Amino acid sequence: MLKIDTHQHFWKYSPHQHAWISDEMAAIQRDFLPADLQPLLNEFGISACIAVQADESETDNDFLLGLAKKNDFIKGVIGWLDYLDEGISSKLAYYSDFKELKGFRYVLQGKEQRDLMLDKNFVRGIAAMKAYDFVYELLIYPDQLGYAAQLVDQFPNQVFVLNHIAKPLIKLGEIEQWKSAVTALAQYHNVYCKVSGMVTEADWINWKYQDFVPYLDVIFSAFGTDRVMFGSDWPVCNLAGNYPKVVGIVDAYLGNLSLTEQENFWGLNASKCYKL
């Protein structure tokens, strides 16, 4: 079975560059590179991964592309661009020459303006993508799901990927508003969803498998089994567990699905989404 990890990160740790890694995240305040990840992928029969930006800079794009050149199992890169930049079209044109670069994301989750993705400049940036085959990845919190639906509605031919199931407050068991909003977003068939980042939204120390089941039920019901993909969020997942535990959650849940549905989730959907 083809298995792809669609969401993991590499970095050479810098307190300045990676200021989002706070002191409570001391476990990941160090370098994480391909040699650290490859044994984990091998252990679980995962043959490929997508490396996702961890720093809001084009320097990070170049760093990840360099790693992809040297490591064949890195099949794609999700980079960063400033979607408010008037010159974004030329940036997209530049990166279109790199076959490993599959798409971009912008860190919307922490922005003070919660509907920034609907700003005319941001929308212009998304519109500029139509000339290329890039995916746009939505890194948002539940309160932004409605704005995401408004954005997606304007671009029926643009592929979007929701990161981390939109980070519901699993630790607090909050589900109803998120469920309604994520189900509405899933109505757009050009939106995929990464089943990733869940453990860090739960109680880091005391989570249990059953904490995730209601959220997984919502995602698999809303998106079906042809638009969901596995993502480990390694090494961030180490804050609340480790790679085997993250794989264990989805393995347990997938036990009730058919072999075809499992194959879609583990690799075929990602191959289609990212044109691997």
Side-chain angles (χ1 to χ4, degrees):
M1 183 187 299
L2 172 66
K3 291 187 175 184
I4 300 169
D5 182 345
T6 66
H7 199 104
Q8 51 72 218
H9 306 283
F10 298 117
W11 60 70
K12 289 185 176 178
Y13 177 66
S14 157
H16 170 71
Q17 210 172 338
H18 303 104
W20 61 272
I21 304 178
S22 63
D23 288 342
E24 68 172 341
M25 301 179 181
I28 60 171
Q29 287 179 333
R30 65 174 182 84
D31 297 355
F32 288 92
L33 296 167
D36 302 305
L37 178 63
Q38 192 164 24
L40 295 168
L41 298 182
N42 292 344
E43 181 180 349
F44 295 100
I46 299 171
S47 59
C49 68
I50 305 285
V52 179
Q53 62 85 214
D55 176 43
E56 294 176 80
S57 73
E58 291 176 44
T59 303
D60 194 45
N61 299 344
D62 299 336
F63 169 67
L64 294 177
L65 287 168
L67 294 180
K69 285 282 187 195
K70 295 174 185 172
N71 297 274
D72 189 54
F73 69 91
I74 305 172
K75 297 297 185 188
V77 168
I78 299 299
W80 175 90
L81 281 179
D82 181 357
Y83 273 76
L84 302 174
D85 182 0
E86 289 184 5
I88 193 168
S89 292
S90 62
K91 298 289 177 62
L92 291 165
Y94 169 75
Y95 284 113
S96 68
D97 286 337
F98 296 85
K99 65 179 178 61
E100 297 88 0
L101 219 159
K102 303 300 181 182
F104 297 93
R105 73 175 188 173
Y106 184 84
V107 185
L108 287 162
Q109 64 178 18
K111 300 303 181 191
E112 185 175 350
Q113 184 182 338
R114 306 309 287 155
D115 65 347
L116 182 62
M117 68 193 85
L118 299 179
D119 180 282
K120 68 180 191 316
N121 294 315
F122 195 97
V123 171
R124 179 194 60 214
I126 299 295
M129 297 177 75
K130 72 177 182 293
Y132 310 99
D133 227 1
F134 289 129
V135 168
Y136 182 79
E137 305 232 339
L138 291 157
L139 179 60
I140 57 175
Y141 282 130
D143 69 298
Q144 295 171 299
L145 279 163
Y147 304 131
Q150 292 179 57
L151 177 67
V152 169
D153 187 61
Q154 299 177 58
F155 299 101
N157 298 314
Q158 170 64 47
V159 175
F160 293 87
V161 177
L162 180 63
N163 287 187
H164 307 326
I165 69 171
K167 297 191 168 187
L169 291 169
I170 298 172
K171 182 178 180 178
L172 301 178
E174 293 186 7
I175 193 167
E176 290 306 323
Q177 286 185 309
W178 166 84
K179 175 182 178 179
S180 175
V182 82
T183 300
L185 179 62
Q187 300 303 307
Y188 295 93
H189 289 275
N190 53 323
V191 183
Y192 289 76
C193 182
K194 289 181 180 179
V195 177
S196 60
M198 295 189 301
V199 293
T200 43
E201 300 308 317
D203 184 320
W204 287 8
I205 307 300
N206 300 308
W207 64 259
K208 55 190 182 301
Y209 168 69
Q210 286 300 327
D211 296 339
F212 306 108
V213 172
Y215 298 90
L216 289 166
D217 285 345
V218 169
I219 291 299
F220 277 79
S221 174
F223 287 91
T225 54
D226 58 350
R227 288 186 289 133
V228 286
M229 306 181 286
F230 171 70
S232 67
D233 199 25
W234 178 93
V236 182
C237 66
N238 293 348
L239 296 170
N242 55 36
Y243 206 101
K245 288 180 179 178
V246 169
V247 172
I249 292 167
V250 293
D251 265 344
Y253 190 81
L254 294 171
N256 296 319
L257 300 184
S258 71
L259 180 60
T260 298
E261 290 171 323
Q262 292 183 44
E263 288 175 335
N264 285 343
F265 172 81
W266 276 115
L268 298 181
N269 294 342
S271 289
K272 181 174 65 173
C273 175
Y274 296 107
K275 297 181 170 61
L276 300 180

